[in-house]
Amino acid sequence: GNRNQSVANGNIVANSSTLDVTNAASSGAVDAALDTTGTRTADGNAVLSSEQVLTASVTASATTDVFNQDATRSGGNEVIDTSVSISRNATTAQATGNSAGTISGNLTGNRLVMGDADTANMDRTATLLNEQSVTAPLVSATVNQDVAIALTNTSTVPLQTSSLSLDGNSTTALARSNVMTNTLIVDGANITAGAGTDASFNFDNTEGLVETLAAAFVLGSEQDNAAEVVATTTQSRVEVDLSNASGDVISGSTLSLTNNVSSATALANNVVNSVSVGENSANVDGTAALANSQGNTGAITATGGSAVAVTFDATGGLDPNGVVTSSITLSGNASASNAVGNQAQNSLTAAGTNVVSGDIGNASIDSDTTDGLTADAGNLLLSRQTNSAAINSINNVNSVSIGGSAVEGTDTELLDGAVASGSTLSITGNTTEARASANIVLNSSISLGGASTTTADATGLIGNFQSNDASGAGTAEASTNTAISLNGVAGVEAVNSGSAMVENNSTLALARGNVVENVLTAEGTNVSSGVGAASLSASVSPADGVLNASFGVFNEQVQAAAINAT
């Protein structure tokens, strides 16, 4: 249960603003708005704005050794009728450029709350803006941990009628540039806010920025990374190494090396955005908009590796056994490396007995230009991710093994020695993974109304745009040497009256360019929104399309780089 942590952070923020009133009146019918052209502005009756900029490198490293220090003590080393555990030791190196902090132990990031279940009337608009930028050369985390028992004997059996447990040890190397959680909550029995027209969005592709975003309730988030992000596991070893120069090595004992974990994660941009309107409302009349923009131009590399092993060496004596009437288990150990350019989770919810938002027209989105994007809807969710740097996840230096040897002893008449006799050797359920992803949206979801909604008169639109250009090659490599290796000589059996199992172990290499899940749900007794039929026009070019609908999902993914998994 020893812990060694090295944590380096550039900027940490926890912003929380709450309007807790019975009636929140507002004069005028003007939408909240964001404008990032020229001097950036955020307008609304309530505004929460946060900016983080990192220009210098952030690095963290941690090294731990947990082991016995009597490996070569004269006279031999014996563990007899004893339980020895070197377990639950954790070494963590974590480097983060810009990140969300906590208030009172709760992850807050940027949190803007307008009203609650006891609010009668909420008529005020709200804007939440998050901006994060990393131009530093490097964000890196390096971890090294060695957990081991070594007993080298010349005349005695080192492990007798005892148990050795090396379980639940972990190494974590975590390097991230931008990490944030943004939350906008609007609640009250009656919500009436904004201009009553559709939420609107305008994006400048040439600048890579959200230009304007307007609605009664607005959440905008921008993350940009230019740093090289590196997470490295230089060593994650969990090992037992026993030997006896004059006879048996392991007798009547149990060895367990289980659930040890090694992970290396390198991530450029990561955000969780959520907008919730009218959780406890009877009537909702207000538009909502969520826009997420992420861009990465820095190389992202995660390098993992681990070694979990039991080795024993029996020499000399009267036909020695390496391991006799004992059990050795190596199970549930995991080694993982994960490299990601951009990762997001976006959700927008509009609830209430009666939900009205936006004008009577359809929702629409237009990407039919080379340098811009426009969209409007009563409830609007847009996410844009671009990656133009290599994403590498390498996890090749891994081994899970039981290795033993025994030589013919001096009793040439019996010749009954064995590397393993009357014992169970098991390597099961161990995993190795290497994942490399340029752009991931874990979930972009809009939920309008619900089982208790009588009237839902609100349009909804999800737009997802992901681009991994020619310089964004993705590489994932994973391998593991998984083996039970028993080496004897003439007159010495490998296994005598026992079992050796290698089963349910897995190795995965997964490389991906663009991944998204888009879900739009509208529910109510009476759903009436938009005018006319849905329509879509699109050319061969994925950057050229127009969609009109009451409820629409518009997805564009462009993959131009090599993606390789080995």
Side-chain angles (χ1 to χ4, degrees), residues 111-147:
R111 181 180 177 86
L112 178 57
V113 179
M114 306 289 288
D116 54 32
D118 296 325
T119 297
N121 298 289
M122 174 55 64
D123 298 338
R124 298 193 177 189
T125 60
T127 298
L128 191 158
L129 172 62
N130 171 64
E131 294 181 295
Q132 295 174 298
S133 174
V134 174
T135 59
L138 179 67
V139 177
S140 72
T142 305
V143 66
N144 181 313
Q145 179 170 277
D146 190 6
V147 177

Side-chain angles (χ1 to χ4, degrees), residues 78-214:
E78 300 168 341
V79 176
I80 304 174
D81 299 328
T82 301
S83 176
V84 177
S85 175
I86 304 183
S87 301
R88 303 182 315 281
N89 302 287
T91 301
T92 301
Q94 178 178 314
T96 308
N98 300 313
S99 64
T102 60
I103 295 178
S104 300
N106 298 314
L107 181 64
T108 300
N110 297 309
R111 181 180 177 86
L112 178 57
V113 179
M114 306 289 288
D116 54 32
D118 296 325
T119 297
N121 298 289
M122 174 55 64
D123 298 338
R124 298 193 177 189
T125 60
T127 298
L128 191 158
L129 172 62
N130 171 64
E131 294 181 295
Q132 295 174 298
S133 174
V134 174
T135 59
L138 179 67
V139 177
S140 72
T142 305
V143 66
N144 181 313
Q145 179 170 277
D146 190 6
V147 177
I149 295 175
L151 303 175
T152 302
N153 288 13
T154 56
S155 60
T156 59
V157 178
L159 185 61
Q160 306 173 43
T161 58
S162 297
S163 68
L164 296 185
S165 300
L166 283 73
D167 303 328
N169 300 286
S170 66
T171 57
T172 303
L174 179 59
R176 304 172 297 177
S177 278
N178 295 309
V179 182
M180 185 51 65
T181 298
N182 300 304
T183 306
L184 174 59
I185 298 173
V186 184
D187 205 358
N190 300 286
I191 299 173
T192 304
T197 57
D198 276 355
S200 62
F201 174 89
N202 184 30
F203 190 91
D204 186 341
N205 284 335
T206 59
E207 295 291 333
L209 298 172
V210 175
E211 277 197 327
T212 59
L213 181 64

Side-chain angles (χ1 to χ4, degrees), residues 367-370 537-546 554 556-558:
S367 65
D368 193 15
T369 61
T370 58
S537 64
S539 70
V540 175
S541 170
D544 188 353
V546 179
F554 188 91
E556 287 185 356
Q557 294 172 305
V558 179

Side-chain angles (χ1 to χ4, degrees), residues 142-448:
T142 305
V143 66
N144 181 313
Q145 179 170 277
D146 190 6
V147 177
I149 295 175
L151 303 175
T152 302
N153 288 13
T154 56
S155 60
T156 59
V157 178
L159 185 61
Q160 306 173 43
T161 58
S162 297
S163 68
L164 296 185
S165 300
L166 283 73
D167 303 328
N169 300 286
S170 66
T171 57
T172 303
L174 179 59
R176 304 172 297 177
S177 278
N178 295 309
V179 182
M180 185 51 65
T181 298
N182 300 304
T183 306
L184 174 59
I185 298 173
V186 184
D187 205 358
N190 300 286
I191 299 173
T192 304
T197 57
D198 276 355
S200 62
F201 174 89
N202 184 30
F203 190 91
D204 186 341
N205 284 335
T206 59
E207 295 291 333
L209 298 172
V210 175
E211 277 197 327
T212 59
L213 181 64
F217 312 111
V218 173
L219 189 158
S221 178
E222 293 185 3
Q223 294 178 314
D224 292 290
N225 173 65
E228 181 182 5
V229 183
V230 180
T232 307
T233 301
T234 57
Q235 178 177 243
S236 182
R237 185 172 79 111
V238 180
E239 191 166 306
V240 176
D241 187 359
L242 309 175
S243 66
N244 181 9
S246 301
D248 297 352
V249 180
I250 301 170
S251 177
S253 298
T254 300
L255 285 80
S256 172
L257 284 72
T258 65
N259 300 324
N260 300 287
V261 177
S262 172
S263 67
T265 302
L267 177 59
N269 299 310
N270 184 32
V271 70
V272 177
N273 297 310
S274 65
V275 176
S276 174
V277 180
E279 180 180 358
N280 299 287
S281 297
N283 302 293
V284 173
D285 186 355
T287 58
L290 188 162
N292 173 63
S293 177
Q294 295 173 302
N296 175 60
T297 58
I300 313 299
T301 304
T303 304
S306 69
V308 180
V310 174
T311 60
F312 47 91
D313 186 16
T315 59
L318 300 175
D319 296 328
N321 295 284
V323 53
V324 58
T325 59
S326 297
S327 172
I328 301 176
T329 302
L330 280 62
S331 68
N333 301 288
S335 176
S337 63
N338 188 23
V340 181
N342 300 302
Q343 180 171 293
Q345 183 172 337
N346 306 302
S347 64
L348 188 155
T349 302
T353 305
N354 299 290
V355 180
V356 178
S357 58
D359 54 37
I360 63 172
N362 280 348
S364 67
I365 189 167
D366 185 353
S367 65
D368 193 15
T369 61
T370 58
D371 59 355
L373 167 69
T374 60
D376 67 273
N379 296 274
L380 181 61
L381 190 159
L382 291 152
S383 181
R384 179 181 184 272
Q385 296 175 319
T386 61
N387 177 67
S388 57
I391 310 294
N392 296 308
S393 179
I394 311 299
N395 197 12
N396 280 335
V397 185
N398 295 283
S399 64
V400 182
S401 61
I402 299 173
S405 65
V407 300
E408 184 178 356
T410 57
D411 191 347
T412 57
E413 294 182 0
L414 295 178
L415 298 177
D416 59 355
V419 183
S421 178
S423 298
T424 299
L425 310 180
S426 177
I427 300 179
T428 63
N430 302 285
T431 61
T432 299
E433 293 186 356
R435 298 172 181 260
S437 305
N439 299 308
I440 303 178
V441 178
L442 299 176
N443 180 48
S444 276
S445 66
I446 291 180
S447 178
L448 304 179

